[in-house]
Amino acid sequence: MPESRPRIIPEATVARLAVYLRVLAGLADGGRSHVSSGELASAAGVNPAGLRKDLSYLGPCGVRGVGYSVAGLRDRLTEALGGERSRACVLVGIGRLGSALADYSGFASRGFQFVGLLDTDPATVGHQVGGLTVRPVAELEGLVAETQATIGVITTPADVAQTVCDRLVAAGVRSILNFAPVALSVPAGVDVRKVDLSVELQVLAFLDQQRDGAPPVLAPVRATAQGGVR
Amino acid sequence: MPESRPRIIPEATVARLAVYLRVLAGLADGGRSHVSSGELASAAGVNPAGLRKDLSYLGPCGVRGVGYSVAGLRDRLTEALGGERSRACVLVGIGRLGSALADYSGFASRGFQFVGLLDTDPATVGHQVGGLTVRPVAELEGLVAETQATIGVITTPADVAQTVCDRLVAAGVRSILNFAPVALSVPAGVDVRKVDLSVELQVLAFLDQQRDGAPPVLAPVRATAQGGVR
DNA sequence: AACCGCTTGTGAACGCCTGAACAAAGTCGC
DNA sequence: GCGACTTTGTTCAGGCGTTCACAAGCGGTT
């Protein structure tokens, strides 16, 4: 069984696979044993054909005429997305947002465990957040080396995000989730994903304005925004 | 004056315009009067040619041989993205994440003002968060009608997100930012943008594993830093 | 006034992703 | 045991977004 990696999986597909996995976990808790692509796609908010295409990157994993085994597909997706093993994450910048993330149970339940919380503010250092003690950023390098953390989450103000990022990379972190509103530059071999909250709101504001200002037919209106048809 | 909206602006472009606007605001504060597309693109983490194409949707707004006027471009982007006018937002679900968002200064500075915080938990209702008092969700309809809020932010648990969404839409909200890990279904004419934090982490975990497990040539590695958020 | 360098704006090619139609395959009913 | 129905997996075409490359235009200089 050496193969099973014939082609590479597009990043957009990987993101959707994570969504399917979550839906499947819910179905498994509900006692369901099988699902069709149509039902799964409806729950995930995507097109059934696209869902089947996504799953086909993993090789055949359904039964024609029946559908997909909930437990079987869940296990295969879990393995494809990185396995069960817990991944150590370091969080830098324990403000309001950082505290919320440190407490967010949705991470721990998916195998992501925060092993260190760092901040520069002496008033914050020492506090307990989500079961961990906030430590000074000076301990960043030692903490990463000690815990073998592979993921860094940056929730600092924009002006120090690049510096923090550089230190994380130098310490060995190769995956970074950035909430600071700046474009981080990193060497090749390091992945960055950016979440920009105010940009999301601004896009909504634009769509709102466009709707009001241009009543005549504009873009071909999506029949359904996100959810399933019928 | 004939409106200058000959073509529609792709959503991906709109998201980047918001980023450019933020960079320009920083440059204006720094006293800069002009920028080139190369410098602006570098600061925003995109390709210079793509940036020029994005800006071209607004019509010619630069001077050849010189670059873009910082203040002029900032004003034009501001207008294109919805103007200066403040937009009223309602936030439902005042947990850790909701509280963090209610306090986030990045929203208010861009014209987004929370006019109502709602929660079901009696222990949370009545608390002061970000200068507002948390109110029970029963007041949702009245609040939206009274404040003419156009944007709703959902930070509730997944199982009640759809119900909250339906009530927001029925009350008149036409733009929704969803942090709950479910696909919301809405009628045509309502826009939903979804932020899924655990999916972001899971994509990073996948890329990490792929790097370790498949040393042979994979996808053409981006030379520059920022992968992008589609 | 004309030239030259610099930067924008745009046209075209490339690649990726999405959405729909078709064939393969397995199961249920008789 | 055989036929028909259901559902997957795949193939094909279409659209969208991104990238490269070049012509057009403006300022400064001689």
Side-chain angles (χ1 to χ4, degrees), chain A residues 32-75:
Chain A
R32 291 287 299 273
S33 66
H34 288 277
V35 247
S36 67
S37 64
E39 188 179 359
L40 196 53
S42 173
V46 301
N47 186 294
L51 181 139
R52 292 198 296 271
K53 194 176 194 56
D54 286 341
L55 294 182
S56 73
Y57 284 104
L58 310 177
C61 42
V63 180
R64 297 172 190 238
V66 176
Y68 299 93
S69 157
V70 171
L73 186 55
R74 181 197 49 181
D75 293 345

